[in-house]
């Protein structure tokens, strides 16, 4: 299989940006990624991108330049960015292009997401019963997990405390004020056991990645990062997901995150034990806890001890969400997966500044999860 290299990454700021559209942020992120790769828009041969609420990515050519390249829109929930990345990788591996772009962006209004049940193949009564409110799903899922595996509410607060601290070190983050675990625990219940400051918020931002094949990688200088593997999966029977929060069949529910992580590690030829720094979906702090085990980084229930010991902090044995994750950056749906890639590239290059993981990390991992049961994972190598 041909080598695919990340030659450039770009990011806009995340958070409320009055007067700026999601498209503006996307164009900024693309130009930053091109500059990072020392390329121009005319060099890009194929593009894939997506947004949940800010328009069609292919129309960005109006601002970028009418070069005539194929530009495909991708919309896949929280896995939109990851899916755009997969598409760009596959285009290079298929020989359709040697230089490809993946971009994700969004600008969501204040308040909770308001999905329509009909868009998800559900009857209107599902929404009338209040079951489209995603905070309920996250509360239900982590409550069950805590009871099964001995996870405390203190651990949930510590995960969020880490996120806000890491966000304070990230100049592009939305939430840049550190909060104590006590402040987080006492911030008011949204859906038991999750409090207000344990959740991310729908937000604004954009991220872009320039990928290149063997020939282009040999021509370019810069600080390339190898994409060892990327994988996406959808839910299997028996899973417990957003908009389908029930246990079907018998035994332990299946996990789309576990399936995607297993696939990407097999393709990369490495295991979870080899990863030096990771980005895990943290729509709320319980999600990070569950995804640590679902992606293979520990056994179920071990998170309580690992987090109490500080092993997931920037200076710990297994740093997670070093840029503050979704909790500190917010959740612009189209951008989150590529924001994760941007952060791992910075860590592997050694350019993450105050949040740099010590010891020259060599392998990084990213993971996104979204409704109605989609996951995308990558393994990146310095």
């Amino acid at each position: 299989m041909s080598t695919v290299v990340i030659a450039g990454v770009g990011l806009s700021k995340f958070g409320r940006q009055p007067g700026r559209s999601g498209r503006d942020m996307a164009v900024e992120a693309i130009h930053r990624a091109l500059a990072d790769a020392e390329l121009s828009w005319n060099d890009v041969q194929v593009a894939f991108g997506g947004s949940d609420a800010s328009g069609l990515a292919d129309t960005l050519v109006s601002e970028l330049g009418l070069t005539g390249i194929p530009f495909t829109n991708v919309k896949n929930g929280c896995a939109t960015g990851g899916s755009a990345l997969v598409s760009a990788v596959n285009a290079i591996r298929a020989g359709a292009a040697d230089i490809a772009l993946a971009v994700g962006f969004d600008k969501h209004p204040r308040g909770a997401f308001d999905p329509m049940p009909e868009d998800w193949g559900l009857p209107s009564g599902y929404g009338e019963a209040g079951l489209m409110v995603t905070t309920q799903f996250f509360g239900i899922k982590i409550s069950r997990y805590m009871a099964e595996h001995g996870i405390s509410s203190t651990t949930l607060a510590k995960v969020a405390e880490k996120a806000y601290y890491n966000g304070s070190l990230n100049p592009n983050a939305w939430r840049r004020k550190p909060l104590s675990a006590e402040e987080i625990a006492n911030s008011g219940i949204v859906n038991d056991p999750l409090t207000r400051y344990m959740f991310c918020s729908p937000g604004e931002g954009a991220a872009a990645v320039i990928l290149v094949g063997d020939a282009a990688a040999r021509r370019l200088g810069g600080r390339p990062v190898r994409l060892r593997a990327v994988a996406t999966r959808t839910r299997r029977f028996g899973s417990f997901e957003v908009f389908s929060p029930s246990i079907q069949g018998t035994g332990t529910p299946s996990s789309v995150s576990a399936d995607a992580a297993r696939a990407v590690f097999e393709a990369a030829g490495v295991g979870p034990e080899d990863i030096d720094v990771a980005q895990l979906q943290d729509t709320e702090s319980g999600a990070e806890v569950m995804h640590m085990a679902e992606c293979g980084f520990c056994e179920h229930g071990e998170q309580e001890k690992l987090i109490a010991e500080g092993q997931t902090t920037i200076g710990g044995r297994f740093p997670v969400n070093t840029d503050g994750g979704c909790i500190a950056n917010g959740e612009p749906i189209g951008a989150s997966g590529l924001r994760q890639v941007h952060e791992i590239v910075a860590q592997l290059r050694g350019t993450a500044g105050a949040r740099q993981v010590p010891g020259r990390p060599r392998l990084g991992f990213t993971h996104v999860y979204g409704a109605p049961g989609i996951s995308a994972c990558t393994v990146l190598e310095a």
Side-chain angles (χ1 to χ4, degrees), residues 5-337:
V5 166
I6 295 174
V9 290
L11 206 66
S12 75
K13 285 190 177 295
F14 278 56
R16 299 289 172 219
Q17 300 175 63
R20 297 198 72 202
S21 69
R23 294 172 60 88
D24 291 339
M25 297 175 213
V27 170
E28 177 188 5
I30 292 167
H31 282 311
R32 288 179 182 273
L34 288 168
D36 187 40
E38 299 180 1
L39 293 169
S40 71
W41 174 243
N42 288 331
D43 295 313
V44 179
Q45 298 162 346
V46 67
F48 301 86
S51 166
D52 182 72
S54 291
L56 299 172
D58 68 309
T59 64
L60 295 173
V61 296
S62 298
E63 287 88 79
L64 295 167
L66 301 175
T67 61
I69 68 166
F71 198 138
T72 302
N73 293 305
V74 179
K75 188 170 183 178
N76 217 6
C78 294
T80 292
S83 298
L85 187 74
V86 170
S87 301
V89 169
N90 287 341
I92 291 172
R93 287 177 173 167
D98 204 35
I99 300 175
L101 164 74
V103 61
F105 59 101
D106 256 308
K107 184 181 179 76
H108 301 294
R110 296 178 183 274
F113 291 119
D114 57 350
M116 298 296 293
E118 294 84 358
D119 292 340
W120 302 84
L122 297 167
S124 58
Y126 196 89
E128 292 163 4
L131 295 174
M132 296 302 288
V133 180
T134 57
T135 57
Q136 293 196 45
F137 162 77
F138 293 117
I140 292 167
K141 189 169 186 179
I142 191 57
S143 291
R144 181 177 185 271
Y145 192 88
M146 291 166 72
E148 284 192 331
H149 300 292
I151 303 298
S152 69
S153 57
T154 298
T155 291
L156 301 183
K158 283 184 174 295
V159 168
E161 180 182 45
K162 171 178 65 69
Y164 290 114
Y165 174 75
N166 292 353
S168 74
L169 306 176
N170 178 5
N172 289 309
W174 181 6
R175 312 294 193 193
R176 301 204 60 210
K177 177 185 176 183
L179 294 174
S180 70
E182 184 179 9
E183 288 176 290
I184 293 161
N186 294 327
S187 61
I189 290 290
V190 175
N191 283 98
D192 190 39
L194 298 167
T195 68
R196 176 185 177 188
Y197 292 148
M198 292 177 185
F199 280 94
C200 75
S201 298
E204 306 176 16
V209 175
I210 301 294
L211 301 112
V212 303
D214 292 325
R218 286 192 292 270
R219 305 197 295 272
L220 297 174
R223 297 163 293 179
V225 169
R226 180 186 174 197
L227 193 148
R228 283 191 65 136
V230 60
T232 59
R233 290 293 185 273
T234 57
R235 68 195 187 279
R236 291 185 289 118
F237 179 79
S239 63
F240 186 92
E241 308 291 357
V242 183
F243 309 146
S244 55
S246 63
I247 305 299
Q248 300 170 311
T250 59
T252 303
S254 61
S255 163
V256 67
S257 294
D259 291 345
R262 192 178 302 113
V264 84
F265 283 128
E266 182 178 351
V270 300
E273 67 280 0
D274 299 311
I275 299 299
D276 299 309
V277 57
Q279 292 279 107
L280 304 178
Q281 180 80 22
D282 61 331
T283 314
E284 34 71 38
S285 53
E288 181 175 320
V289 171
M290 291 183 284
H291 292 144
M292 285 173 63
E294 290 180 359
C295 292
F297 295 109
C298 65
E299 295 298 323
H300 293 287
E302 286 184 353
Q303 302 98 316
E304 184 83 0
K305 180 174 183 290
L306 296 177
I307 291 167
E309 293 174 349
Q311 295 199 36
T312 60
T313 63
I314 289 172
R317 181 183 61 82
F318 177 58
V320 176
N321 293 337
T322 48
D323 65 347
C326 286
I327 292 175
N329 286 280
E331 174 75 297
I333 285 178
S336 287

